[in-house]
Amino acid sequence: MSANNLTPQSSKISLADIETRNKHKGAIIWFTGLSGSGKSTIATETELKLFEKGINVYVLDGDNLRMGLNKGLTFSDDDRKENIRRAAEVAKLFYQAGFVVICGFISPFNADREEAKALVPADRFFEVFIKCSIEECIKRDPKNLYKKAIGNRIPNFTGISSPYEVPVNPELIINTETTPVIDAVKLITDMLYLKGIINDTPITGKT
Ligand code: ADP
């Protein structure tokens, strides 16, 4: 027994067993980008396409997690770190259950994203930068948050009063000012195919 009285419990089912039955591998696709950049929009469309292909897929969304598991965490640097730590641990559980997990979190700090990445094998974690200028995000303002943030009514708002660190070496960069949603979905599913996560031919055609 370890010093903290915890013992890891092992399963009789390996991830390889699950993946053989599923006919695809488990993986984490980690979207990072400013609020309004398009993370949720692309995540839900990609989820639908993969589901239709018979892939076990699940979306972890920042706002949704903050309404449950992460309720009570603020947007201070420390709480953002804890928010991402918990999110990454949940993503790992889904990965271990054989899912393709699509994570949509602003996750503004490189160090926190690196920690998330370190939880699973390197070839099962794909950082995707959902790129969009702050000017365009302010113009879109789908949740009316920028208006409030610029009016100083939301403290620590990423891009306005809190920093965003651009990913250093993402697997994929999707510029949503120039890439329609359907093309973004195809870029992601093509990536999964090329990386051997899904075996079927990449998705083609219109949504
Ligand atoms: P986030 O999850 O990053 O906060 P959302 O997906 O909630 O962003 O909001 C993005 C907004 O931008 C939506 O209103 C969406 O319709 C719009 N949008 C316009 N063009 C695109 C695009 N190419 N990709 C993704 N979203 C886009």
Side-chain angles (χ1 to χ4, degrees):
M1 179 124 10
S2 60
N4 56 9
N5 294 328
L6 300 174
T7 309
Q9 179 65 44
S10 58
S11 172
K12 291 186 177 176
I13 310 159
S14 71
L15 178 56
D17 294 335
I18 296 171
E19 292 178 340
T20 300
R21 192 168 73 174
N22 286 348
K23 299 189 178 68
H24 67 81
K25 290 181 177 158
I28 296 174
I29 309 168
W30 191 280
F31 289 178
T32 173
L34 295 172
S35 177
S37 59
K39 300 181 296 299
S40 305
T41 304
I42 297 169
T44 50
E45 291 301 326
T46 306
E47 178 187 39
L48 179 62
K49 278 292 178 197
L50 290 173
F51 180 79
E52 287 170 350
K53 284 271 173 186
I55 308 293
N56 294 302
V57 57
Y58 192 72
V59 171
L60 285 175
D61 174 271
D63 278 3
N64 289 353
L65 249 63
R66 279 185 179 275
M67 288 189 269
L69 176 69
N70 290 348
K71 199 173 354 183
L73 293 180
T74 69
F75 289 85
S76 70
D77 287 3
D78 279 354
D79 276 8
R80 282 179 188 274
K81 187 177 177 60
E82 178 62 11
N83 183 50
I84 295 307
R85 189 192 70 77
R86 291 184 199 175
E89 291 287 354
V90 175
K92 178 183 174 180
L93 295 177
F94 274 90
Y95 156 73
Q96 288 176 330
F99 277 70
V100 171
V101 198
I102 307 172
C103 300
F105 299 97
I106 297 172
S107 46
F109 303 127
N110 272 314
D112 297 349
R113 296 193 298 264
E114 284 302 314
E115 277 178 33
K117 187 175 186 171
L119 291 179
V120 297
D123 60 351
R124 301 299 184 92
F125 187 100
F126 306 102
E127 187 180 35
V128 177
F129 178 27
I130 307 294
K131 185 178 176 186
C132 186
S133 67
I134 186 77
E135 292 79 13
E136 175 64 17
C137 290
I138 291 170
K139 215 183 290 171
R140 289 180 185 172
D141 207 2
K143 300 169 202 157
N144 263 321
L145 295 176
Y146 282 100
K147 210 179 296 158
K148 290 186 196 164
I150 291 166
N152 283 327
R153 281 178 288 146
I154 306 179
N156 301 324
F157 197 80
T158 302
I160 303 295
S161 46
S162 186
Y164 178 79
E165 296 174 2
V166 169
V168 178
N169 192 20
E171 192 64 44
L172 197 58
I173 301 174
I174 299 178
N175 184 341
T176 63
E177 290 180 76
T178 52
T179 313
V181 176
I182 182 176
D183 292 354
V185 173
K186 183 159 165 41
L187 285 172
I188 293 157
T189 53
D190 281 358
M191 175 189 77
L192 292 176
Y193 177 68
L194 290 170
K195 297 288 179 180
I197 303 299
I198 59 176
N199 299 311
D200 208 351
T201 47
I203 291 155
T204 53
K206 296 188 190 313
T207 41

